[in-house]
């Protein structure tokens, strides 16, 4: 007896597994934490790559995120970017291309890329950062910044700016 048999395990091991396992068109995602809405995200297309060693999710055509703080649940902060990627196991986000962040306090940050390490609760960039505070003052971090992920503290590298100072009354001179 003769038989023609092909070992399928050898052929399948050479095939690429780096393709989207899920694709969501016109995505609108709501993330909740104990019933509290912590995030809302919109994107024209979201692709999940789950069949590889380091799974990730990507929004190639941009993303618009609202994030909510339990201290101020009515006023969301926002993040907008032309591209975003989330690495599942590392809990690490990156956003690139005309990144705009508005905190729930009203401060506005503009840069070309930003990275968020969710485990370390740290946001950073090496790009020039332009900040407009809600009081109208401006700040430029020429070589980037590092911040807590709630923007309660941040550090700018080689900064400059225009700060509003309170007026000193004649009685205090």
């Amino acid at each position: 007896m003769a038989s023609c048999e092909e070992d399928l395990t050898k052929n399948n091991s050479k095939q690429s597994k780096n393709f989207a396992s899920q694709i969501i068109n016109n995505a609108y995602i709501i993330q909740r934490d104990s019933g509290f809405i912590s995030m809302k995200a919109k994107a024209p297309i979201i692709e999940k790559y789950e069949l590889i060693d380091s799974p990730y999710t990507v929004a190639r055509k941009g993303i618009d995120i609202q994030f909510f703080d339990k201290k101020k649940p009515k006023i969301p902060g926002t993040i907008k970017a032309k591209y975003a990627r989330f690495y599942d196991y590392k809990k690490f986000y990156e956003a690139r291309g005309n990144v705009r962040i508005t905190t729930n306090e009203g401060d506005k940050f503009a840069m070309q890329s930003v990275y968020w390490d969710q485990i370390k609760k740290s946001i950073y960039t090496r790009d020039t950062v332009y900040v407009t505070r809600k009081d109208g003052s401006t700040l430029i971090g020429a070589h980037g910044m590092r911040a807590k992920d709630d923007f309660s503290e941040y550090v700018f590298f080689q900064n400059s700016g225009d700060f509003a100072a309170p007026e000193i009354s004649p009685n205090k001179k």
Side-chain angles (χ1 to χ4, degrees):
M1 282 188 104
S3 121
C4 293
E5 191 173 304
E6 185 178 353
D7 187 357
L8 295 176
T9 58
K10 289 181 184 175
N11 288 340
N12 287 340
S13 66
K14 294 178 186 175
Q15 291 180 351
S16 174
K17 294 179 182 168
N18 194 13
F19 58 88
S21 56
Q22 292 182 38
I23 299 173
I24 305 169
N25 289 306
N26 297 317
Y28 182 66
I29 299 168
I30 298 174
Q31 182 177 336
R32 296 178 188 270
D33 181 11
S34 303
F36 173 76
I37 295 176
S38 58
M39 182 196 71
K40 292 180 182 179
K42 289 188 223 178
I45 187 166
I46 292 179
E47 300 169 321
K48 289 186 72 94
Y49 292 82
E50 301 171 301
L51 305 174
I52 55 176
D53 292 337
S54 297
Y56 63 92
T57 303
V58 65
R60 294 182 199 283
K61 294 190 176 190
I63 196 158
D64 185 351
I65 298 172
Q66 291 183 320
F67 54 93
F68 297 85
D69 185 2
K70 289 183 179 178
K71 295 174 189 170
K72 288 190 171 185
K74 304 257 187 239
I75 305 169
T78 61
I79 300 174
K80 296 179 183 182
K82 291 184 178 180
Y83 174 91
R85 183 181 284 210
F86 171 64
Y87 297 92
D88 297 352
Y89 291 141
K90 295 178 184 177
K91 302 274 188 217
F92 188 83
Y93 291 83
E94 73 175 281
R96 288 187 269 142
N98 204 22
V99 179
R100 300 289 183 258
I101 299 173
T102 303
T103 67
N104 61 2
E105 297 288 333
D107 296 336
K108 296 178 182 182
F109 295 76
M111 62 214 79
Q112 285 304 307
S113 66
V114 70
Y115 304 92
W116 175 28
D117 187 331
Q118 198 173 14
I119 294 170
K120 293 180 180 178
K121 297 183 181 288
S122 174
I123 293 176
Y124 63 91
T125 185
R126 290 198 167 103
D127 294 341
T128 300
V129 180
Y130 300 91
V131 181
T132 304
R133 304 285 315 263
K134 67 180 176 187
D135 65 3
S137 61
T138 60
L139 178 66
I140 299 171
H143 290 284
M145 73 166 197
R146 180 167 296 278
K148 285 187 175 182
D149 64 355
D150 63 356
F151 285 95
S152 61
E153 294 178 18
Y154 41 87
V155 176
F156 294 95
F157 305 108
Q158 289 190 350
N159 54 16
S160 63
D162 173 25
F163 299 93
E167 189 175 311
I168 300 174
S169 68
N171 297 340
K172 293 184 180 179
K173 286 184 179 179

